[in-house]
């Protein structure tokens, strides 16, 4: 396991004048949710997620050596065009990671990024976006220090991504990723995401996630503000303890493949996340009427057919419909027949469990 000090480099054995890297990194969907954090992006509780396969951010970073400056020098392009609105977030990210990548002010960067999912679909691109950027910066660091191990490369990439957006650290490597220290998961740490280290039953192979786009509008409350409201939240301690328990339950479920138990943990986590929002001060509701319509339709379908399909939610109104690959055709038919009507412009995205970031 690495500590923070391991990520502060003491020397570089190489120099590099200019070059370019390109990485694609996925979004992820949490089963046990990260909601609440301490200083420096340390999570209040451990979380676990499925890595996605189709909702990706592709980011190209071109760099040229310059005289070391007082400020970061970078251009930010979105789909090939300058995007000033995105710059402050990147600026803040670079400030946070400079101590770990001391060469950052010695280069001019052109960061060109695009998502594979529709813009303003309500799908947050912060996880995939920060992960893709972190991978590129690690490629540059590896070029400066080629002796770096693969393990170090990926764990530091996840560590850096976390400083951009917490959930981004779960978008680097592995199909199932744990972030946050949990007593019974070996190697789990608050500093970066790790591949889930134990057996995963075949029931979860190619697990499906169909994302129903209920509301594509901008979030009324940012995740960052939501996390903040867990400070002094009346139910915070219970909630954080519950996340540890749910991870224990999932460990048994991943091993024995019990989908009924899986559904209980996952749906309870989703509703607890939103319950935390509804019981914070100020309180807020991110679900929309159609979110509830979909949840009820899934429950009805499940009880009528015994097909193990369930839902989870992010910090928004969209619904992630989760189900095993073996029932894919039936569930897709159900979605088309009964759920598409609740989606904005009938839009949904078919995704499934993926393996993590890839260099292009
Ligand atoms: C509800 O990772 O977006 O999706 O660390 O402030 O960038 P910041 O928050 P973010 O929070 C994600 C919260 C969540 C649950 C989860 O993905 O675990």
């Amino acid at each position: 396991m690495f500590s923070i000090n391991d990520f502060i480099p003491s020397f570089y054995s190489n120099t590099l004048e200019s070059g370019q890297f390109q990485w694609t990194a996925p979004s992820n969907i949490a089963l046990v949710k990260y909601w609440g954090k301490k200083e420096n992006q340390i999570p209040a509780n451990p979380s676990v997620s499925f890595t996605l396969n189709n909702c990706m951010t592709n980011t190209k970073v071109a760099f040229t050596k310059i005289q070391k400056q007082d400020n970061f020098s970078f251009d930010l392009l979105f789909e090939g065009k300058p995007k000033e609105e995105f710059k402050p977030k990147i600026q803040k990210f670079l400030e946070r990671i400079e101590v770990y990548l001391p060469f950052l002010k010695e280069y001019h960067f052109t960061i060109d990024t695009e998502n594979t999912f529709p813009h303003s679909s309500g799908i947050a691109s912060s996880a995939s976006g920060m992960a893709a950027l972190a991978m590129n910066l690690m490629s540059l660091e590896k070029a400066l220090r080629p002796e770096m191990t693969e393990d170090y490369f990926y764990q530091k990439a996840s560590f850096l991504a976390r400083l951009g957006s917490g959930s981004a650290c779960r978008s680097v490597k592995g199909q199932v990723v744990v972030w946050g220290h949990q007593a019974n998961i070996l190697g789990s740490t608050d500093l970066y995401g790790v591949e889930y280290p134990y057996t995963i039953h075949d029931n979860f192979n190619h697990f499906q996630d169909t994302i129903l786009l209920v509301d594509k509008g901008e979030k009324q409350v940012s995740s960052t503000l939501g996390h903040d409201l867990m400070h002094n939240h009346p139910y915070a301690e219970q909630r954080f303890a519950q996340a540890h328990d749910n991870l224990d339950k999932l460990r048994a479920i991943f091993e024995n493949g019990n989908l009924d138990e899986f559904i209980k943990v996952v749906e309870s986590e989703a509703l607890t996340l939103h319950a935390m929002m509804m019981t914070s001060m100020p309180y807020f509701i991110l679900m929309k009427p159609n979110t509830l319509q979909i949840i009820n339709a899934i429950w009805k379908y499940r009880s009528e057919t015994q097909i193990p399909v369930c839902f989870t939610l992010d910090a928004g109104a969209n619904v992630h419909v989760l189900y095993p690959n073996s029932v894919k055709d039936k569930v897709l038919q159900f979605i088309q027949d009964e759920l598409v009507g609740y989606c904005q412009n009938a839009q949904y995205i078919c995704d499934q469990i993926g393996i993590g970031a890839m260099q292009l």
Side-chain angles (χ1 to χ4, degrees), residues 165-185:
S165 177
S167 55
C169 78
R170 298 188 314 238
S171 279
V172 167
K173 191 167 184 274
Q175 302 197 34
V176 180
V177 179
V178 179
W179 168 43
H181 177 69
Q182 205 267 3
N184 299 320
I185 300 183

Side-chain angles (χ1 to χ4, degrees), residues 18 29 111 115 143 147 184 202 209 226 295 325 334-335 348:
S18 64
I29 181 66
I111 304 167
N115 300 324
E147 60 274 24
N184 299 320
D202 285 350
D209 178 5
I295 292 173
N325 194 35
F334 158 63
I335 289 171
Y348 62 95

Side-chain angles (χ1 to χ4, degrees), residues 30 33-35 37 41 165-167 170 223-224 227 273 314-315:
K33 307 291 180 180
Y34 149 56
W35 198 244
K37 61 177 159 183
Q41 297 284 100
S165 177
S167 55
R170 298 188 314 238
S223 290
T224 305
H227 287 294
L273 169 70
D314 262 346

